[in-house]
Amino acid sequence: MKKMYARVKGWLNALARLFFPRHCVVCGDCLQQGEEALCMRCNIDMPRTGFHLQRDNEVERMFWGKIPLERATAYFYYSKGSSYRHILHQLKYNGRHDVGEAMGRFMAAELQAAGFFEGIDVVVPVPLHRSKQRTRGYNQSECIARGIARVTGIGVDRASVVRLKNTATQTRKSAYERWENVREIFAVRHPERFAGKHLLLVDDVLTTGATLTACADAFTSVEGIRISILALAVAR
């Protein structure tokens, strides 16, 4: 019965691909069997940062003097003119939460091989305000975190950190305005549960580090807390 079910499922998937072909979110070409979200060429050409292989890398330096940090990295470079901006656009504005989960798995597989997740106890996605999440239908950072969890087996905590204010978008703000916009907007429920833990904060895009710093600040009173940071993309 299971074999028959698998065969039928395979036939249905093949028919779906024939009449509703899936496309690469970067170049738009049809995806081949075994490809997910990105075609092989775009995956190979992705402008990866490689920061997880470097101590005191560019992302880590963004947080120096702001929060105590174990390690930090971002997976790929993001710039306005790049086709890779479509990954973020599809994820945030076109309802493609599947893209976030796929990118989370790709990212985790590469970083895990280098020991990036060693010692991390819990993954915490940066939360959206409840009204924004209700409108969008999902939290893009949580989608990425689920992909990471699928590869690493590390649990995701999506309930302990809450966003208190529905802040305006950061897109067209200056660096100073970004910091002001997110000051004291996060709170932690039951912070004692994080005592002595090593947590990984996950976000989609890293520009100035203001949002992730504000999220990390919510844990400052937790005894023995250790924090690492992982973003899908970082602005050039």
Side-chain angles (χ1 to χ4, degrees), residues 19 29 143:
F19 293 104
D29 286 353
C143 297

Side-chain angles (χ1 to χ4, degrees), residues 71-135:
R71 61 189 82 113
T73 191
Y75 189 42
F76 71 90
Y77 283 111
Y78 157 77
S79 58
K80 282 187 177 180
S82 169
S83 298
Y84 288 88
R85 72 188 187 280
H86 297 311
I87 295 173
L88 303 169
H89 192 272
Q90 292 291 322
L91 171 58
K92 292 183 74 166
Y93 305 116
N94 279 18
R96 294 292 306 276
H97 52 83
D98 60 302
V99 171
E101 293 184 29
M103 294 304 299
R105 292 198 303 275
F106 297 160
M107 178 167 59
E110 292 185 33
L111 271 59
Q112 187 174 42
F116 182 84
F117 299 100
E118 218 169 278
I120 291 173
D121 298 301
V122 61
V123 177
V124 178
V126 173
L128 294 177
H129 188 268
R130 60 182 179 275
S131 62
K132 185 173 286 187
Q133 181 157 343
R134 190 160 50 241
T135 301

Side-chain angles (χ1 to χ4, degrees), residues 10 20 23 33 47 50 57 76 82 88-89 92 100 109 114 128 140 152 156 168 183 186 190 194 198 200 203 209 229:
F20 305 100
H23 298 276
Q33 188 169 359
N57 64 58
F76 71 90
S82 169
L88 303 169
H89 192 272
K92 292 183 74 166
L128 294 177
Q140 68 275 6
T152 64
V156 177
R183 180 184 293 179
F186 297 103
H190 307 292
F194 291 93
H198 183 179
L200 178 67
D203 206 0
I229 283 173

Side-chain angles (χ1 to χ4, degrees), residues 9-23 30-33:
K9 185 178 179 182
W11 294 333
L12 291 174
N13 286 338
L15 280 172
R17 285 194 296 272
L18 179 63
F19 293 104
F20 305 100
R22 301 170 303 126
H23 298 276
C30 288
L31 294 177
Q32 302 302 311
Q33 188 169 359

